[in-house]
Amino acid sequence: MAISLPELPYAKDALAPYISANTLDFHHDKHHNAYVTNANKLIEGTDLANLDAEAIIKKVAGDASKAGVFNNVAQAWNHSFYWKCMKPGGGGVPTGAVAQKINADFGSYEKFVEELKNAGATQFGSGWAWLVVKDGKLAVMKTANADTPIAQGVKPLLTVDVWEHAYYLDYQNRRPDYLTAFVNHLINWDFVNSCLG
Ligand code: FE
């Protein structure tokens, strides 16, 4: 299979109470799994079947006739990335090289948090908020639905899923509370630093 469903890098109950085992059960085993299954069905027997997810995303981005492939492969990739952006006991002030980059490019950690939460809270409908490297500087961006910085040649360092399926069982309509919990308790800064390279 060209696109695979990775195991979660922690136990289903490891992110509780900020994200429950119930949410991870549905989000990983049902939602993410469905994107992977659909993606594989759509690329099977085509010239995309031997490419990895990132190459497929770049190849079909902007092609209206391949929107189904783009949506499912990008969602598969975005979710695989999102799981790695969290860890039990994560969040709070960053460490390592990214801490210095955040201070240099945003002015302070607090300003970065404000921008990330604002991007997540104001993404109308479904989508994602991101910390990315754009033109050599850190920046916050948001994408709608399945869209991903990868498609735009922008390097992602961190993402938070703001589709309702990511938080509705735990927070109902309170998306800002989910974003606060993500920032304060879940971000895996070691992973972010590893992406910074
Ligand atoms: Fe999701």
Side-chain angles (χ1 to χ4, degrees):
M1 285 294 192
I3 312 291
S4 58
L5 180 71
E7 294 280 316
L8 285 174
Y10 28 73
K12 287 262 176 66
D13 60 358
L15 303 183
Y18 308 109
I19 293 178
S20 65
N22 197 23
T23 290
L24 287 181
D25 225 21
F26 277 96
H27 200 176
H28 177 271
D29 295 10
K30 306 287 187 217
H31 292 278
H32 190 178
N33 188 47
Y35 296 127
V36 170
T37 303
N38 290 335
N40 282 317
K41 270 189 207 153
L42 288 166
I43 64 172
E44 194 182 352
T46 75
D47 60 347
L48 301 170
N50 296 321
L51 300 178
D52 66 18
E54 203 169 324
I56 295 171
I57 289 164
K58 286 175 177 163
K59 195 160 181 182
V60 304
D63 180 348
S65 72
K66 296 274 174 33
V69 175
F70 180 85
N71 287 336
N72 284 285
V73 177
Q75 280 294 81
W77 192 93
N78 288 346
H79 282 89
S80 295
F81 189 78
Y82 168 65
W83 306 131
K84 293 187 280 191
C85 290
M86 300 186 285
K87 69 171 188 179
V93 179
T95 52
V98 78
Q100 277 130 42
K101 283 282 283 173
I102 282 174
N103 285 331
D105 296 341
F106 291 97
S108 66
Y109 166 71
E110 290 72 22
K111 187 74 176 64
F112 154 72
V113 168
E114 187 188 320
E115 284 197 32
L116 185 73
K117 284 188 187 174
N118 189 48
T122 60
Q123 172 51 41
F124 187 76
S126 297
W128 303 79
W130 305 81
L131 173 65
V132 299
V133 184
K134 196 175 181 182
D135 303 324
K137 291 191 112 184
L138 298 193
V140 162
M141 65 183 283
K142 55 186 175 180
T143 59
N145 301 316
D147 200 10
T148 177
I150 298 284
Q152 304 169 30
V154 172
K155 183 180 178 175
L157 301 179
L158 171 73
T159 195
V160 54
D161 187 344
V162 296
W163 284 60
E164 280 189 346
H165 65 222
Y167 61 87
Y168 208 84
L169 295 174
D170 299 324
Y171 299 89
Q172 292 77 49
N173 61 321
R174 291 173 285 115
R175 190 193 287 184
D177 291 355
Y178 157 69
L179 289 165
T180 296
F182 178 85
V183 166
N184 291 346
H185 302 286
L186 296 175
I187 295 176
N188 183 347
W189 287 115
D190 294 334
F191 176 70
V192 178
N193 271 303
S194 76
C195 293
L196 193 57

